[in-house]
Amino acid sequence: MLEIPEAVIAIPIACLFALAALPPSWSNNHVLLVRRSVTMILAIQTVAALMVLVKSYFFGPIAIKSSALSLSGAAPIDPAIIELSAYLDGVSCLMFLMVSLVGFVVSRFSIRYLDGEATQGRYFRWLGFTIAAVSTMTISGNLLMFFAAWVMTSFGLHQLLLHYRHRAAAHRAAWTKFTISRIGDAFLVAALIVTFQSFGTFDFVTLFERAAEIADGGRVTVNQMAIGWLIVFGAMTKSAQFPFHTWLPNTMETPTPVSALMHAGIVNAGGYLVVRTGSLVTLAPTALAVLAAIGAFTACFGAIVMITQPSIKRALAYSTIAQMGFMMLQCGLGAFAAAMLHIVAHSFYKAYAFLNSGSVIAESRSLDGTAQHVAQSTERRWAVPVAFALSAISLACVLAILGIDITAKVGGLTFALIICLALTTWGWRLLQSPQRNLWWVATFGIPMLCLLYGTSYAGISMIVAGAIPTESATAWTTILVVDVALAFCLLFMLHAALRNDRSPIWLESLRIHAANEFYIDVIYRRVFGSLAKS
């Protein structure tokens, strides 16, 4: 039977699944009961997730298995192959807490956002189902259960994307997402088959142990390397990597809380898959190198398109694509702890950004001209080098105080450079403002942001220590880190040029193409247009 008290985390998930089984008409007629139940269950789940995270940190990983629910009949199948199980270590508990908290906030926000709509009951049923599926995926103890939750997550999100069924754009976006998700499912099904052929089990604990033995000196077979490739391709489809990214910006015909949940939680599933199965993926270093290259390209591509979008939601969507690309870059270089920090930080930020998107105009007016002062800044050539020097010195001091040696980490110097470039992009615009008080914001804000990032990274590293494989450099990573550094330096200069009103003609042409997303969406509309009409 399930162990106590850790198994208590299964109760809220089971309740959410049970609510999804309610008839739509009954749910719509009892909206208050349904939405309060979903929100209350998610609040309880958040508290339980926090308790389990604390326990796993102090007492180590927790493996939960349900022998009562495994199929142990007369068939010649090992019961462990298809049993329900959970594996609660630093990685899974951190993700479980994040998903639960974001889900609770989204549910609370949805109560007011959808108040008065006739189909609220149906919405909250599928919201609870989707969050329950993502929660199951985060704590799954075996690869087969992970895949089942992966598919359920896609199905639940599909229903939420079709909340406004009368909108043609909603159907087009939902079916594009549905089709791309099935491509990812095919990769994962193949990964399941090859994994069982190679290891004879789906259990994560056993898989991690055997993969560690192989990494310590064993011979890696072709099948074992194929597992890494298949997982990488499956993750790319889920986390909107180029060229599987077009579905994400088009999912605008859905309630804003769904966008928040999707961008803050569900789209992270691909990155979580790579981190969760890191021990298996690292057996195929070439696959990780390809993932890093595609992630870097996706990050640069998404960033360029993002700054040219006039729509707030669409700009946020391409921001997510760029952030997911950067996360995949971190995974590809083996910086799994940094990737986990990126997942958590991006999730909370993007949930806030979407839920607060309706207040942008009001907040802009409340700034009393501050934003205009930044936009009307004068050109000061010293602003960029000063902002960069301040960023580099602040980050170096913080890392030294915390005892973090970035030279010992794969791609550590490159990631530090990218952080400095990001802080410089923010700081130099403030330093060019005619308002002197914004200079002080940059002067003190950059060191504080470095301190926040450094302490957060140290904290995440402590939580996931032992749950992720150790970093190891290869010939590919040495080449990649140099190329990535150059790419982000070019991106920084391009961003500065696009922000300049006196940019050359060729940059204006680039701006137009980027605003049209380089016409990639046009191709997808021709391919998937017939699906939306079916």
Side-chain angles (χ1 to χ4, degrees):
M1 295 296 293
L2 288 174
E3 300 175 14
I4 302 295
E6 295 86 1
V8 172
I9 62 174
I11 297 177
I13 297 175
C15 291
L16 291 174
F17 280 132
L19 285 175
L22 295 174
S25 57
W26 190 93
S27 301
N28 291 330
N29 292 330
H30 299 81
V31 172
L32 292 178
L33 176 61
V34 173
R35 69 186 190 184
R36 287 175 181 173
S37 298
V38 171
T39 306
M40 181 181 65
I41 292 171
L42 288 172
I44 295 173
Q45 180 175 302
T46 302
V47 175
L50 178 60
M51 295 173 62
V52 172
L53 174 62
V54 173
K55 182 170 183 178
S56 68
Y57 176 75
F58 287 104
F59 298 99
I62 305 166
I64 306 174
K65 296 185 178 181
S66 173
S67 57
L69 295 177
S70 62
L71 301 182
S72 54
I77 300 178
D78 185 353
I81 295 174
I82 47 181
E83 68 183 357
L84 298 180
S85 62
Y87 184 58
L88 307 174
D89 60 356
V91 170
S92 59
C93 288
L94 186 62
M95 284 294 294
F96 183 44
L97 175 60
M98 184 203 75
V99 169
S100 302
L101 181 56
V102 170
F104 168 71
V105 172
V106 168
S107 182
R108 283 279 300 172
F109 186 90
S110 299
I111 292 176
R112 177 172 295 182
Y113 186 89
L114 293 171
D115 191 32
E117 291 197 12
T119 56
Q120 286 182 78
R122 176 188 178 278
Y123 168 85
F124 277 95
R125 284 172 58 246
W126 287 115
L127 179 67
F129 176 90
T130 305
I131 297 173
V134 179
S135 301
T136 303
M137 183 173 61
T138 60
I139 64 173
S140 295
N142 62 80
L143 194 56
L144 185 61
M145 183 175 169
F146 186 103
F147 174 72
W150 173 286
V151 175
M152 287 191 295
T153 300
S154 178
F155 179 71
L157 178 59
H158 184 76
Q159 299 301 320
L160 290 174
L161 292 177
L162 291 175
H163 178 70
Y164 298 121
R165 295 177 177 272
H166 60 281
R167 299 180 180 179
H171 281 266
R172 181 171 60 248
W175 282 107
T176 302
K177 168 67 174 67
F178 185 86
T179 305
I180 293 177
S181 294
R182 301 295 73 77
I183 296 174
D185 294 347
F187 284 122
L188 285 192
V189 168
L192 286 171
I193 296 172
V194 180
T195 298
F196 187 74
Q197 289 177 344
S198 301
F199 297 100
T201 183
F202 294 123
D203 182 67
F204 278 142
V205 176
T206 306
L207 288 174
F208 297 160
E209 291 175 350
R210 295 184 184 179
E213 293 173 358
I214 296 172
D216 289 339
R219 179 177 175 272
V220 182
T221 65
V222 175
N223 279 357
Q224 290 164 353
M225 287 190 290
I227 296 172
W229 281 99
L230 293 170
I231 289 175
V232 162
F233 287 134
M236 286 171 53
T237 63
K238 199 72 167 183
S239 288
Q241 298 301 284
F242 185 92
F244 304 111
H245 67 283
T246 56
W247 63 270
L248 191 60
N250 291 326
T251 54
M252 296 295 106
E253 298 296 330
T254 188
T256 296
V258 176
S259 297
L261 177 65
M262 181 169 55
H263 288 256
I266 297 174
V267 78
N268 293 314
Y272 178 66
L273 170 64
V274 176
V275 175
R276 177 73 288 175
T277 60
S279 299
L280 296 174
V281 179
T282 51
L283 298 179
T286 306
L288 282 177
V290 171
L291 179 64
I294 294 176
F297 178 83
T298 303
C300 295
F301 172 84
I304 293 172
V305 176
M306 175 195 69
I307 61 177
T308 63
Q309 298 302 304
S311 167
I312 295 175
K313 274 193 169 185
R314 207 163 184 84
L316 287 174
Y318 271 99
S319 169
T320 298
I321 292 172
Q323 297 290 346
M324 291 299 100
F326 189 72
M327 177 194 65
M328 287 301 190
L329 168 62
Q330 293 172 316
C331 291
L333 293 179
F336 295 114
M340 284 299 298
L341 171 59
H342 196 86
I343 289 175
V344 174
H346 174 262
S347 295
F348 289 133
Y349 158 70
K350 201 51 64 75
Y352 167 79
F354 269 97
L355 297 181
N356 193 52
S357 60
S359 304
V360 170
I361 297 177
E363 290 188 355
S364 177
R365 292 173 178 172
S366 68
L367 292 176
D368 294 329
T370 300
Q372 293 181 3
H373 283 295
V374 175
Q376 297 173 357
S377 58
T378 58
E379 185 176 357
R380 296 185 175 92
R381 296 184 182 275
W382 54 264
V384 173
V386 167
F388 184 82
L390 180 60
S391 302
I393 294 172
S394 300
L395 184 61
C397 291
V398 168
L399 295 177
I401 294 172
L402 296 175
I404 301 174
D405 183 11
I406 60 174
T407 60
K409 300 182 180 298
V410 179
L413 291 174
T414 297
F415 288 132
L417 173 63
I418 295 172
I419 293 172
C420 290
L421 291 175
L423 291 172
T424 301
T425 302
W426 176 69
W428 74 267
R429 295 186 64 200
L430 294 177
L431 292 175
Q432 286 188 331
S433 171
Q435 281 193 330
R436 295 297 178 93
N437 63 318
L438 294 181
W439 294 14
W440 293 109
V441 172
T443 303
F444 291 100
I446 289 176
M448 291 303 297
L449 288 173
C450 290
L451 179 61
L452 178 61
Y453 182 85
T455 52
S456 299
Y457 176 77
I460 294 292
S461 298
M462 292 174 60
I463 293 175
V464 302
I468 56 176
T470 56
E471 301 177 13
S472 59
T474 64
W476 282 108
T477 55
T478 305
I479 299 173
L480 275 171
V481 292
V482 176
D483 292 340
V484 168
L486 292 174
F488 275 86
C489 287
L490 291 174
L491 180 63
F492 173 80
M493 292 186 289
L494 180 62
H495 178 266
L498 287 173
R499 291 288 186 182
N500 192 345
D501 294 333
R502 294 172 293 178
S503 55
I505 297 177
W506 69 269
L507 268 181
E508 288 303 315
S509 299
L510 177 64
R511 189 198 302 271
I512 293 173
H513 295 315
N516 287 279
E517 304 161 25
F518 296 101
Y519 313 102
I520 296 175
D521 185 52
V522 176
I523 300 174
Y524 273 80
R525 290 195 180 194
R526 292 177 179 176
V527 173
F528 298 110
S530 58
L531 291 175
K533 299 175 182 178
S534 60

